[in-house]
Amino acid sequence: MVMLTLKQFQYFIKIVEEGSFTAASEKLFIAQSALSRQMKLLEEEIDFQLFDRTDKKVKLTTAGEVFYKKIKNNMHYLNEIIGVSKNIAEGKNRQIKIAHSSSIIMDERKIHILKEISLANHINFEINTLSSEHQILALMSGEIDIGLIRPPVRHTLDELSIIKLYEEPLMVAVHVDHAKFASKQEIQVKDLKDEYFVSTPHSKRGGLSYLVSNLCVGAGFWPKAAMIQSRKLSQLQLVAENLGISIVPQEFEKILPHQVKLLPLADYLSLSEVQLVYRKDHDEMIQRCAEQIHQMFYLKNELA
């Protein structure tokens, strides 16, 4: 059984457009006999005649005219389908799903890195916010491709590739007119014992929550909960309303409300690490993107 091919359709259209087998064979750079043979095979496969061969000129049968119009109209869509499919096969125009915890700010530097990688690889990124714990589950289920987390997490990471991007100190976010800290340039953790925390540690979470609880327990107390709390970026708005204080990463300085300032911890050099994670069994494109993000972070850190 002879199968129809895309080239046969292209040959057929060219013959009709050029008005003769001779002209079409010259444009297609194939022998006229080979072109005629391909059209015979096409007619045998579709089981009806396309050409009226009683005339020396190219003349289509009634069925051939309908076939030409339909094939001509649909070739555009077929070529488009082939182009889109080829791009997917090459990793182009693919959407890569990235998640980051709410304590990792999608600042100008990160956005610029993703933009450069997007342009270089002809891919798109979709960014969402998930806790570090939920990112691990989303990676394993295939809901996201790359995660940006703050360790530690309570899930096993055996099936994930882990790349350290950067680390930064934890700082205390306080109201600029805080009765106790307004004139301070730094704070000791023990000074926070009687303060209300607008973001209290979660017993079942790792990441920033775990680091904050360790700091407080190490200083001999457990954080007191403010009347209104949030573990998201809105915690800074609660500090701005003087409802309490919060321990946050240094990168929060990029999104501070005017009424809030960050003070370093004098007695601790508590560093919080940010890691890029993806599944070990992911395809080449995901691995390439992860490596490029890491390389560009390293270069920008070196130049900073």
Side-chain angles (χ1 to χ4, degrees):
M1 181 178 179
V2 180
M3 298 298 294
L4 297 175
T5 67
L6 184 61
K7 280 195 175 296
Q8 287 175 325
F9 295 147
Q10 293 170 335
Y11 290 166
F12 171 65
I13 292 171
K14 181 61 70 173
I15 292 168
V16 177
E17 290 178 343
E18 295 299 324
S20 74
F21 279 76
T22 303
S25 65
E26 290 175 356
K27 290 291 179 67
L28 295 167
F29 300 103
I30 63 172
Q32 184 176 335
S33 58
L35 188 59
S36 298
R37 175 60 181 163
Q38 286 298 318
M39 290 303 97
K40 280 287 188 181
L41 291 173
L42 176 57
E43 288 176 322
E44 288 175 10
E45 184 63 23
I46 60 180
D47 201 26
F48 62 85
Q49 281 195 327
L50 294 169
F51 299 98
D52 181 352
R53 291 179 172 80
T54 59
D55 197 324
K56 290 184 179 181
K57 294 182 179 181
V58 170
K59 184 178 180 182
L60 295 176
T61 61
T62 302
E65 290 177 357
V66 173
F67 188 78
Y68 169 73
K69 290 177 182 177
K70 295 291 185 181
I71 288 294
K72 177 71 172 177
N73 290 338
N74 284 284
M75 278 299 291
H76 169 73
Y77 299 108
L78 184 57
N79 287 329
E80 184 177 317
I81 291 169
I82 292 171
V84 170
S85 301
K86 185 179 180 182
N87 284 339
I88 291 173
E90 295 175 351
K92 295 179 181 178
N93 298 326
R94 177 177 172 182
Q95 186 175 74
I96 307 296
K97 295 183 178 180
I98 292 185
H100 63 98
S101 74
S102 59
S103 67
I104 298 173
I105 308 302
M106 267 296 158
D107 53 23
E108 184 179 347
R109 179 174 69 158
K110 296 184 184 75
I111 297 298
H112 182 70
I113 287 173
L114 293 181
K115 180 181 177 182
E116 287 190 20
I117 294 172
S118 174
L119 292 172
N121 295 288
H122 305 284
I123 57 175
N124 302 313
F125 287 107
E126 179 184 286
I127 304 173
N128 288 298
T129 305
L130 287 174
S131 71
S132 295
E133 303 288 343
H134 286 142
Q135 284 184 60
I136 306 305
L137 298 175
L139 282 166
M140 299 313 300
S141 66
E143 294 176 45
I144 64 172
D145 301 303
I146 294 173
L148 299 178
I149 67 169
R150 284 190 188 275
V153 291
R154 294 177 177 269
H155 295 284
T156 177
L157 303 178
D158 294 344
E159 298 179 57
L160 300 178
S161 293
I162 304 168
I163 301 173
K164 177 182 173 181
L165 288 184
Y166 60 93
E167 61 182 9
E168 58 186 338
L170 295 177
M171 307 187 78
V172 183
V174 301
H175 194 280
V176 292
D177 294 325
H178 191 286
K180 189 175 178 181
F181 304 131
S183 60
K184 295 277 189 179
Q185 298 301 311
E186 58 184 19
I187 299 178
Q188 292 188 342
V189 177
K190 66 179 183 179
D191 296 335
L192 305 176
K193 181 178 179 180
D194 296 322
E195 298 300 316
Y196 289 100
F197 283 65
V198 297
S199 179
T200 54
H202 193 294
S203 60
K204 294 184 179 180
R205 285 192 180 175
L208 183 61
S209 183
Y210 178 90
L211 296 174
V212 171
S213 63
N214 270 6
L215 280 176
C216 296
V217 171
F221 69 94
W222 185 257
K224 294 167 60 176
M227 65 177 70
I228 304 175
Q229 299 179 67
S230 172
R231 293 189 183 88
K232 305 300 181 183
L233 297 181
S234 52
Q235 65 184 277
L236 293 178
Q237 297 301 326
L238 300 180
V239 175
E241 293 297 323
N242 219 355
L243 291 171
I245 60 95
S246 184
I247 297 179
V248 298
Q250 187 178 34
E251 62 186 282
F252 272 40
E253 64 188 2
K254 300 167 185 173
I255 56 168
L256 283 182
H258 295 305
Q259 307 95 321
V260 179
K261 66 177 181 178
L262 295 184
L263 295 175
L265 294 168
D267 50 347
Y268 284 88
L269 180 59
S270 182
L271 296 175
S272 175
E273 190 173 299
V274 171
Q275 296 177 341
L276 182 151
V277 291
Y278 63 96
R279 281 172 50 170
K280 290 179 179 177
D281 62 353
H282 240 319
D283 59 66
E284 184 181 344
M285 177 56 73
I286 301 301
Q287 295 180 36
R288 187 192 311 164
C289 287
E291 290 167 1
Q292 289 176 347
I293 291 172
H294 177 232
Q295 289 168 2
M296 294 182 75
F297 257 100
Y298 178 78
L299 288 173
K300 289 183 182 295
N301 287 338
E302 287 290 300
L303 294 173

